[in-house]
Amino acid sequence: MSLSTLCLHCGMCCDGTLFTHVPLQPNESASLTQRGLPLTAREDGTVVLPQPCAALNGRCCTVYTERPEACRRYRCQLLNALAEGEVSLDEAKGVVDAAHARVEAVTRALSPMEGGPSSLRQARAAAATLEPQAREALTQAEAFLDRHFRGRFRRSG
Ligand code: SF4
Ligand code: SF4
């Protein structure tokens, strides 16, 4: 069973659901820029790859063999649990589906708000001003993502 089967079902560590950016090593910027990927310079002088990642096509990384070291190293808690046999692939896919559903519940709760936030990222930025239903959906989505995905970092070997 290939662990990438789960990631091709998920994409949430690339599409902006879990992270806002990928930290880059100093020597990684040039090749990504050459591939046409927009990078962001931060106030501290570092350069990052913003998310949703422009290299993501659907749930597939289009620069997979040349992806940054941080992408190579990253495994979410769920992928670690799958690798260690704590969950089956079907169970893990079910958790991913449940996470996607919670994220969609946030955007659904936002949609009636004319001119308001329309994505998970915008909802996070405007969390203090959200209507109660949207705020509750955001709270539930973040708790689910924390519980099943965020957390341990490990080399993927
Ligand atoms: S969040 Fe986890 S399961 Fe989803 S693509 Fe990233 S490493 Fe794979
Ligand atoms: S470079 Fe590839 S692995 Fe890294 S965030 Fe972008 S799509 Fe994901």
Side-chain angles (χ1 to χ4, degrees), residues 13-14 22 37 49 51 53-56 60-64 67-68 71:
C13 60
C14 306
V22 177
L37 297 181
L49 176 61
Q51 292 194 355
C53 182
L56 192 66
C60 190
C61 176
T62 57
V63 296
Y64 191 75
R67 66 198 187 284
C71 302

Side-chain angles (χ1 to χ4, degrees), residues 67-101:
R67 66 198 187 284
E69 177 64 18
C71 302
R72 294 176 190 276
R73 276 192 295 114
Y74 182 68
R75 280 186 181 184
C76 69
Q77 291 190 90
L78 182 63
L79 192 64
N80 274 320
L82 178 64
E84 290 164 15
E86 295 166 10
V87 293
S88 70
L89 178 59
D90 282 348
E91 288 168 335
K93 282 179 161 181
V95 172
V96 167
D97 290 342
H100 284 152

Side-chain angles (χ1 to χ4, degrees), residues 94-111:
V95 172
V96 167
D97 290 342
H100 284 152
R102 280 168 172 76
V103 171
E104 285 161 18
V106 175
T107 53
R108 257 201 322 278
L110 294 171
S111 57

Side-chain angles (χ1 to χ4, degrees), residues 2-56:
S2 167
L3 296 178
S4 64
T5 303
L6 179 65
C7 295
L8 290 169
H9 189 73
C10 175
M12 289 191 291
C13 60
C14 306
D15 67 6
T17 301
L18 292 173
F19 301 110
T20 57
H21 65 274
V22 177
L24 298 177
Q25 308 280 344
N27 63 350
E28 292 178 321
S29 303
S31 66
L32 295 174
T33 300
Q34 278 171 7
R35 286 181 154 273
L37 297 181
L39 306 181
T40 301
R42 311 189 96 193
E43 283 182 4
D44 63 3
T46 59
V47 176
V48 300
L49 176 61
Q51 292 194 355
C53 182
L56 192 66

